[in-house]
Amino acid sequence: MNLIEINGLCKNFPSFQLKNVDITLEEGFIMGFIGRNGAGKSTTLKTTLNLMKSEGGSIKLCGLEMPKDELEIKNLVGYVFGGVDFYPEAKISRITDVTKSFYKEWNEKLYKELCERFELDQNKKFKQLSAGMKVKYSLAVAMSHNPRLLILDEPTSGLDPAARDDLVLLFQEFIEDGKHSILFSTHITSDLEKCADYITYIKEGKILASDERDAFRKSYISVAGKKEQLNPDNESKIIGLHTHQLGFEGLMKTEDKSLAKSEGFEIAEPTLEDIMIHIERR
């Protein structure tokens, strides 16, 4: 079963357009949603959850239609967005008491386990939490009403490497029964190297690629060499070409690997970060 089916999603702003976005995610998988700041990640996620009104396309989450089944959907989907400050003067315990009343299912045992795992002090006011602890608290709430799907916007932002690694493990635990899925945007591509099954890349409001993580990575090669090796023919094949005092570096499609070899370029397998840097280089 597909837990996410987004087809032809559109949203228009004076200086930006979301253009016919398609995203599909089966149950039991994690999808990383990447692209530079301003590419449309947050707009896509917020429009998917009807926090912004779409201007075209269709959205189905957990087999239900948005916005027709919005209330039921939001009992089946946990979501976390950055910049949400709840009630800064209220204690965490009080915020939780109010929040859990909105959900049909609330797993108090799981909530307490997550709070203990995240070392969250229930007596602290929300404003007393660090940026990283606010993210952890939001995740604890999002995961404690038994959602089938998590939609997360920059969930590991503001966390130290050890805390990010703990969240990655938690995400893997969440989907291991094959009935749950996660869609999350991030600019920390090293986290996706550890846990993402799929990668969806958005650029300037359009989906550039959506594929299995390893297939996405293997569709590109990193190339480097001396500047004198460059000519108009091979330069036209290099994505995000960067020349410097010692030579050049860039990205090429794997289908052009034979050309790269014939030109004597140094070839390597790129990371997700390498791919993003070169695609976005201007």
Side-chain angles (χ1 to χ4, degrees), residues 11-26:
K11 178 69 179 176
N12 297 315
F13 297 97
S15 58
F16 175 80
Q17 291 81 43
L18 205 60
K19 307 162 190 171
N20 296 311
V21 168
D22 295 338
I23 298 175
T24 300
L25 181 61
E26 295 178 73

Side-chain angles (χ1 to χ4, degrees), residues 103-119:
Y103 294 104
K104 292 180 181 178
E105 296 185 38
W106 179 263
N107 190 330
E108 187 68 19
K109 180 175 179 288
L110 175 60
Y111 174 73
K112 288 179 178 177
E113 288 173 355
L114 289 170
C115 287
E116 184 175 343
R117 182 169 181 168
F118 294 156
E119 299 180 338

Side-chain angles (χ1 to χ4, degrees), residues 87-96 111 119-130 133 137:
Y87 299 96
E89 294 291 339
K91 288 184 179 180
I92 288 178
S93 57
R94 176 57 180 155
I95 297 171
T96 303
Y111 174 73
E119 299 180 338
L120 286 164
D121 182 349
Q122 296 294 298
N123 291 314
K124 276 193 172 182
K125 292 182 178 180
F126 190 78
K127 71 175 185 180
Q128 294 176 310
L129 301 181
S130 66
M133 294 303 281
Y137 173 68

Side-chain angles (χ1 to χ4, degrees), residues 30-34 45 150-156 168 171 182-186 188 191-192 195-196:
I30 297 174
M31 176 178 283
F33 193 31
I34 63 174
L45 299 185
L150 291 178
I151 294 180
L152 313 171
D153 194 11
E154 303 284 357
T156 57
V168 166
F171 294 161
I182 301 174
L183 170 65
F184 76 97
S185 72
T186 183
I188 306 174
D191 292 340
L192 299 181
C195 71

